[in-house]
C-alpha cells in the first residue's frame, strides 16, 4: 500500500510543506481539522469554500488522499474525508 508523500524518501521536507500550504489545500485541511470529529463531507467542503469550484475542491481532496494526508471514509449520504 502506498503511504503517500509522507513516506516517500525522495520527497524533501520543503516539497511537503509547499504541498500542504498551497492556499486551497491548506484551507481544506483546516476545514477538516476544525470539525469536532475531523470528518467533512464533500458538500460541506464545497460550502465552506464558495470561491472555489466543486471540481477544484474535488481535485485538491484527491491530491490530499493520494499524498496520504486525508482519507476517504464511507458515509451513507455523501463522500466524506478525514485527516489520516
Amino acid at each position: 500500500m502506498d503511504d503517500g508523500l509522507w513516506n516517500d524518501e525522495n520527497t524533501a521536507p520543503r516539497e511537503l510543506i509547499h504541498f500542504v500550504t498551497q492556499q486551497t489545500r491548506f484551507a481544506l485541511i483546516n476545514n477538516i481539522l476544525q470539525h469536532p470529529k475531523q470528518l467533512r463531507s464533500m458538500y460541506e467542503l464545497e460550502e465552506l469554500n464558495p470561491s472555489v469550484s466543486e471540481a477544484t475542491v474535488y481535485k485538491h481532496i484527491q491530491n490530499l488522499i493520494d499524498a496520504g494526508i486525508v482519507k476517504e471514509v464511507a458515509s451513507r449520504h455523501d463522500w466524506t474525508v478525514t485527516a489520516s
Side-chain angles (χ1 to χ4, degrees):
M1 181 173 139
D2 182 18
D3 290 328
L5 286 175
W6 298 119
N7 293 324
D8 183 351
E9 60 190 47
N10 296 320
T11 303
R14 180 179 57 200
E15 292 176 58
L16 296 173
I17 291 169
H18 177 73
F19 180 81
V20 298
T21 58
Q22 187 279 339
Q23 184 177 3
T24 301
R25 285 191 289 265
F26 189 75
L28 293 169
I29 292 168
N30 279 326
N31 294 152
I32 293 166
L33 294 175
Q34 290 171 352
H35 188 275
K37 294 183 180 179
Q38 296 185 345
L39 292 169
R40 288 282 187 191
S41 70
M42 290 300 292
Y43 175 78
E44 289 174 311
L45 292 172
E46 292 161 1
E47 291 295 309
L48 289 167
N49 297 279
S51 64
V52 180
S53 73
E54 292 177 15
T56 299
V57 170
Y58 176 82
K59 179 187 77 170
H60 283 292
I61 288 296
Q62 192 59 55
N63 288 340
L64 291 167
I65 290 169
D66 293 344
I69 297 167
V70 300
K71 62 183 176 181
E72 183 178 357
V73 177
S75 173
R76 293 183 306 176
H77 305 290
D78 195 4
W79 193 58
T80 303
V81 291
T82 187
S84 288

